[in-house]
Amino acid sequence: MAMEKHFIQEGVIRSEIENYLKEEVSRAGYSGINIQKTPLATRIILYVENPPLVIGKKGRRIKGLTEHLKNLYNVENPVVDVQKIEKPTLDPNIIARRIALALERGMHRRRVAYKALRAVMESRARGVEIVLSGKIVGKGGRSRVEKYSEGYMKKAGDSLKLVQMGSTQAYLKAGVIGVTVKIVLPETKFPDQISVIEASKPQEPEPEDVKPEKKSKKKTAKKTKKKSETKKKAEAEEKDESASEKPLQET
């Protein structure tokens, strides 16, 4: 039981740290964290869209975050490492946060959802699904669920582990709206997908051309015959001319 309590406490502390950093670093485009414990320190990798907002001027803000984590959550020697997300349009947490901020500003839900769909699909994602749930219509309206999807998406089974998912909340005057985003990344390969490759046909050996050689021999023989005939004709004409010239000389 002691080991189980230890793991439960670690899970609780992890969730509290994640919620704290999510609120503190929301403007920088929070995506997630990864906690790695070593004998020397506890490394907390923070994935954000805009790292300079987390670091602050001369590293003041990141120092304040490390001190706060050490004092509140009793983290031993915390080291916060900030890393930038290369493709924020393929991160479901960032897309969900963008949708929530747009809804809080008063933009229409369908316009926001379709804009997010286009941005994700332009990044060559295989599929995306956006779910809005809550009092979407306004005051006095019933809570409802709206889904916007495009591309290929898995709904059930073990393949759901390959689907990236993020969620957040948008706080409006009418109530709270839940925003859930699911994205299938371009390099994702599902086990039920089979690609059929056509077998290449074996190349047949070309038959040896025997007949054309005979034709060429015949042609060369004909040419030699014609040449010999022309020579004979020329010699005969020369003899006739010489014979005709001799009687003229005698006269």
Side-chain angles (χ1 to χ4, degrees):
M1 291 296 291
M3 290 295 292
E4 292 177 357
K5 286 182 180 179
H6 175 70
F7 287 120
I8 291 168
Q9 287 177 358
E10 283 189 350
V12 171
I13 292 169
R14 180 186 175 86
S15 63
E16 289 178 354
I17 291 170
E18 190 171 357
N19 292 329
Y20 168 72
L21 292 174
K22 189 175 182 179
E23 292 178 0
E24 291 291 327
V25 194
S26 59
R27 291 183 180 179
Y30 173 84
S31 175
I33 61 170
N34 186 12
I35 300 173
Q36 297 176 355
K37 285 191 175 183
T38 61
L40 298 176
T42 303
R43 188 183 178 190
I44 300 171
I45 303 171
L46 186 59
Y47 299 97
V48 294
E49 184 180 0
N50 196 355
L53 293 177
V54 181
I55 297 168
K57 191 175 181 180
K58 295 182 180 179
R60 292 176 183 173
R61 190 173 184 189
I62 197 168
K63 288 179 182 177
L65 288 173
T66 52
E67 289 178 1
H68 201 78
L69 291 171
K70 186 177 181 180
N71 296 328
L72 278 183
Y73 303 105
N74 296 323
V75 180
E76 296 179 358
N77 299 325
V79 177
V80 180
D81 184 12
V82 184
Q83 293 188 7
K84 184 179 180 179
I85 299 169
E86 295 180 357
K87 294 182 179 179
T89 51
L90 291 176
D91 193 289
N93 290 306
I94 292 175
I95 297 296
R97 185 59 185 164
R98 287 180 182 178
I99 293 169
L101 290 173
L103 292 174
E104 289 174 357
R105 290 171 188 167
M107 295 180 69
H108 197 269
R109 63 187 185 279
R110 290 181 183 173
R111 184 180 178 184
V112 174
Y114 285 118
K115 186 179 179 181
L117 284 177
R118 285 195 299 270
V120 175
M121 294 305 293
E122 284 175 0
S123 299
R124 296 183 179 181
R126 295 189 61 187
V128 58
E129 184 183 69
I130 298 170
V131 181
L132 304 178
S133 59
K135 290 187 177 181
I136 302 170
V137 179
K139 288 185 177 180
R142 292 183 178 180
S143 61
R144 54 190 292 185
V145 178
E146 289 185 357
K147 292 183 180 181
Y148 306 89
S149 61
E150 188 174 351
Y152 185 80
M153 180 60 63
K154 280 287 185 181
K155 299 291 185 179
D158 292 336
S159 300
L160 281 175
K161 296 177 182 178
L162 302 174
V163 179
Q164 304 294 322
M165 187 173 66
S167 61
T168 187
Q169 296 82 30
Y171 298 93
L172 306 179
K173 292 181 180 179
V176 181
I177 296 175
V179 182
T180 305
V181 179
K182 297 178 182 179
I183 297 175
V184 180
L185 299 178
E187 62 273 9
T188 305
K189 292 183 179 180
F190 294 104
D192 60 343
Q193 290 181 344
I194 301 170
S195 58
V196 180
I197 301 172
E198 294 182 358
S200 59
K201 295 181 180 179
Q203 295 181 356
E204 296 179 356
E206 296 181 356
E208 295 180 356
D209 297 332
V210 180
K211 292 181 180 179
E213 290 181 357
K214 291 181 179 179
K215 289 181 180 179
S216 61
K217 287 180 180 179
K218 288 180 180 179
K219 286 181 180 179
T220 52
K222 287 180 180 179
K223 286 180 181 179
T224 52
K225 284 181 181 180
K226 285 181 180 180
K227 287 181 180 179
S228 61
E229 287 176 359
T230 51
K231 284 182 180 180
K232 287 179 181 179
K233 286 180 181 180
E235 289 175 357
E237 288 176 357
E238 287 178 358
K239 287 179 181 180
D240 293 336
E241 287 177 358
S242 60
S244 61
E245 287 177 357
K246 282 180 181 180
L248 290 171
Q249 289 176 0
E250 289 176 357
T251 55

